[in-house]
Amino acid sequence: MKFIKTAIAAAFTAMTLMATAAAAQDKTEIVIATEGAFPPYNLTRPDGTLDGYDIELGKNLCERMKIKCTFVAQAFDGIIPALNAGKFDAIMAGMSATEKRKEVIDFSMSYGSTGQSFATLKDGPLAKMPMKDQLFSLASNEAGARKAVEELKPLLQGKTVGVQTASIAARFIDEYLKGVVQVREYKTTEQHDLDLISGRVDFVMASMGYLMTAAQKPTNSDMTIVGPRFQGGFLGAGSSVGLRKADTALKQKFDEAIAAAKADGTTKKLSTKWFGFDMTPQ
């Protein structure tokens, strides 16, 4: 009897998942979650409206897919569980498609890539961190990336770094600088910027695209970008749309729309507008 009940429950669960997936494939309206606190990828205007590269590009993609889209704000550290719980249909939050994240959700092709870098105070002890503007790939040149980190370790020993919780920057620090630096995690990147300016952390690590915009804010006039830039490997293939694994048709629609936006120059135009350079993935 117990076996029969278990089999019935399993069959019911499978049918429910199949029905949910089928419903997702035919959607003419979807809800897209973004953080709303990660400029220039996404931000919240004083009137409460969402804006940024993710939102403007997302609206363009939805027009191409002929799908009505609504954007909602969601804290980054809970955004993947909320997607899988069905609270929304997709994520556009400057999220990099890492192998670890791919274990629980699927991703579209990348719509932008800037890599991860560091920022500190202009008059601080790390202001002259070496290898500025040098790019290291964890995929094609991990040995070079590790060598670069080894060169930085004596300078970073005992320093405090600020990173966003659940971010790829946090994983980078754990992978390469564990035991070398002290780590403080924050719900948003804007929070670790505040602690950098006030001297509570010595440096921060985040998306290069984000740091370039953050350093231009009047309140962050003492901030400067330093050191090398890292991308690839577990840092992911670049910012991509996060989707439930069952929503294969929706993934295909996003892939086709992103490919078209790359081909006609839309990603170049919008990323240049928001970041100041073309971050279209090659």
Side-chain angles (χ1 to χ4, degrees), residues 126-193:
L126 301 180
K128 295 184 178 180
M129 187 186 294
M131 296 176 282
K132 184 176 181 180
D133 297 328
Q134 292 187 40
L135 177 63
F136 295 92
S137 171
L138 304 188
S140 61
N141 186 24
E142 187 184 10
R146 288 192 176 275
K147 183 178 179 181
V149 173
E150 288 301 317
E151 186 176 335
L152 294 176
K153 281 183 178 179
L155 183 65
L156 300 179
Q157 184 69 49
K159 297 295 191 294
T160 302
V161 60
V163 292
Q164 184 179 27
T165 299
S167 67
I168 54 177
R171 185 177 173 192
F172 181 94
I173 296 297
D174 185 65
E175 178 78 17
Y176 287 94
L177 292 170
K178 189 172 185 176
V180 177
V181 298
Q182 299 181 46
V183 182
R184 288 187 181 177
E185 294 194 2
Y186 300 82
K187 286 188 70 67
T188 70
T189 47
E190 291 175 332
Q191 289 175 348
H192 67 43
D193 292 350

Side-chain angles (χ1 to χ4, degrees), residues 43-220:
L43 55 100
T44 304
R45 296 294 185 190
D47 63 0
T49 58
L50 293 165
D51 203 358
Y53 179 62
D54 287 324
I55 284 73
E56 193 164 358
L57 177 61
K59 290 178 179 178
N60 181 276
L61 299 179
C62 290
E63 289 180 5
R64 295 174 190 269
M65 297 187 294
K66 294 181 172 54
I67 294 177
K68 181 180 178 181
C69 298
T70 302
F71 282 84
V72 297
Q74 166 71 43
F76 191 80
D77 59 356
I79 204 165
I80 289 179
L83 172 69
N84 280 332
K87 293 185 177 180
F88 36 80
D89 305 291
I91 298 170
M92 288 189 72
M95 178 179 283
S96 191
T98 66
E99 292 304 315
K100 186 173 181 62
R101 288 169 178 160
K102 287 179 181 178
E103 293 175 3
V104 289
I105 63 173
D106 206 349
F107 286 95
S108 70
M109 68 167 62
S110 174
Y111 61 79
S113 179
T114 65
Q116 300 284 304
S117 195
F118 307 105
T120 190
L121 295 179
K122 292 178 179 178
D123 60 354
L126 301 180
K128 295 184 178 180
M129 187 186 294
M131 296 176 282
K132 184 176 181 180
D133 297 328
Q134 292 187 40
L135 177 63
F136 295 92
S137 171
L138 304 188
S140 61
N141 186 24
E142 187 184 10
R146 288 192 176 275
K147 183 178 179 181
V149 173
E150 288 301 317
E151 186 176 335
L152 294 176
K153 281 183 178 179
L155 183 65
L156 300 179
Q157 184 69 49
K159 297 295 191 294
T160 302
V161 60
V163 292
Q164 184 179 27
T165 299
S167 67
I168 54 177
R171 185 177 173 192
F172 181 94
I173 296 297
D174 185 65
E175 178 78 17
Y176 287 94
L177 292 170
K178 189 172 185 176
V180 177
V181 298
Q182 299 181 46
V183 182
R184 288 187 181 177
E185 294 194 2
Y186 300 82
K187 286 188 70 67
T188 70
T189 47
E190 291 175 332
Q191 289 175 348
H192 67 43
D193 292 350
L194 289 171
D195 269 13
L196 173 65
I197 298 302
S198 63
R200 285 189 283 270
V201 298
D202 298 297
F203 69 111
V204 297
M205 186 176 194
S207 159
M208 181 65 167
Y210 168 79
L211 292 176
M212 289 180 65
T213 300
Q216 294 173 5
K217 292 182 178 180
T219 53
N220 292 339

